[in-house]
Amino acid sequence: MNARASALAMLGCGLLGIAIGYAIGLRAPADAARAAPAPDAHGEGTVTASHPRTHAHRAQDTGAHAGQGDTHRTAVERARSDPAYLRTLLGRFRGETSADRKAALLAILQGVGSDAVLQEAAAWAASADASARADGLALLGGFPIAREEVREVLLRRLGEERDPALLRTLADMATPAVLPADDSARLADGLRTLTTHADPGLRAAGLTQLAQWDRSPGLEERLHAALSDPSAEVRDAAIVGVGIGQARSERLKRALLAVLSDPDVSAQTRHSALFALQGFSLDRREYEIYRMASELSTLEEGPGH
């Protein structure tokens, strides 16, 4: 066994020993409290499944794609001033089957960013045809969520959409932004529906986004439950949600410390739990678990990190 592997093993054993002692220390008060109602969660919850805003990097020279010898910039400028040309581009975007050409056309249309494009995107997003809805959501992805029209389409589709791929697109569109509290609350309400979906990937995506919008005490309950989800993907999303949100409670802290004490968790999961615990107050025993897990994480990353 080399020195690095030996150090990892020693740290892992030490961390497990401290965790066992910590658990024994918690057992007595936990047993006494078991018959009593669970303590109220306190705190509020608000980096994100990222949503690409533009495909301009795939359309630097769209002469062949735009069909008029136009570069990306001139195609955008022409479409802004020529309604007939814009309608042509919208029609070609809907009918295009080549992924590269479709991406180039999308970049132009997102670059135009006009009310006409937004209205067409909203109409497509309401279509009974899944491919039209996909194109509409792709176009809407180029508009900021601060626009009321975009939020209305997003909320409506979250309530009506059944296609898992399009639901994932909707989750990705819910990028964080500063909005009035009532608008943020409406988005949180829409995203909560994803956190109970049968698809674990959608539950995970919904949790990650919900943590950025939900400022209600109910977020703590949802994150705590997700930390015990059968899906590792959902459990990892819950850890990330604690880290990026504002939900805080003793039971969330204990759950995160248990993650750090598990020798079988992945390095990425351990790193996420370490990040999340930075928002909690730790006593000396808890800090020792945190410190040893942090050292283990550094060793796992290897030299140069």
Side-chain angles (χ1 to χ4, degrees), residues 56-66 69-74 104 108:
H57 63 289
R58 299 180 69 177
Q60 293 301 311
D61 181 3
T62 59
H65 306 312
D70 293 336
T71 64
H72 172 77
R73 180 178 298 178
T74 57
I108 294 171

Side-chain angles (χ1 to χ4, degrees), residues 52-240:
R53 286 285 179 185
T54 178
H55 296 267
H57 63 289
R58 299 180 69 177
Q60 293 301 311
D61 181 3
T62 59
H65 306 312
Q68 299 292 331
D70 293 336
T71 64
H72 172 77
R73 180 178 298 178
T74 57
V76 168
E77 291 173 351
R78 180 180 174 189
R80 283 174 176 166
S81 60
D82 185 343
Y85 181 60
L86 176 58
R87 287 194 298 272
T88 298
L89 291 179
L90 286 165
R92 293 179 58 197
F93 173 69
R94 274 291 295 127
E96 185 56 65
T97 57
S98 163
D100 285 342
R101 286 194 290 271
K102 197 173 186 75
L105 288 163
L106 176 61
I108 294 171
L109 293 168
Q110 287 184 335
V112 174
S114 65
D115 287 345
V117 174
L118 179 56
Q119 291 164 8
E120 194 73 12
W124 292 348
S127 171
D129 179 67
S131 68
R133 296 199 304 276
D135 285 348
L137 294 180
L139 278 181
L140 284 173
F143 292 87
I145 202 167
R147 292 198 62 161
E148 183 179 3
E149 305 97 313
V150 176
R151 294 198 305 276
E152 289 304 318
V153 172
L154 176 58
L155 287 168
R156 188 161 52 250
R157 295 315 312 157
L158 280 171
E160 299 175 0
E161 187 59 63
R162 296 295 178 265
D163 187 304
L166 295 183
L167 282 171
R168 181 57 187 260
T169 299
L170 289 164
D172 290 345
M173 286 174 63
T175 50
V178 178
L179 294 175
D182 55 341
D183 289 331
S184 294
R186 289 186 67 208
L187 278 169
D189 288 343
L191 288 167
R192 284 191 195 98
T193 62
L194 295 180
T195 65
T196 58
H197 199 279
D199 184 332
L202 284 173
R203 293 202 303 278
L207 271 173
T208 303
Q209 297 294 64
L210 181 64
Q212 301 173 98
W213 292 103
D214 193 353
R215 299 179 183 275
S216 73
L219 178 63
E220 189 275 347
E221 175 70 33
R222 200 168 295 269
L223 289 172
H224 183 262
L227 287 168
S228 301
D229 193 277
S231 166
E233 184 180 7
V234 176
R235 295 195 300 272
D236 284 348
I239 294 171
V240 171

Side-chain angles (χ1 to χ4, degrees), residues 23-66:
I24 291 173
L26 287 175
R27 184 176 302 162
D31 289 342
R34 186 170 292 121
D40 289 339
H42 52 275
E44 296 180 336
T46 55
V47 193
T48 126
S50 66
H51 179 70
R53 286 285 179 185
T54 178
H55 296 267
H57 63 289
R58 299 180 69 177
Q60 293 301 311
D61 181 3
T62 59
H65 306 312

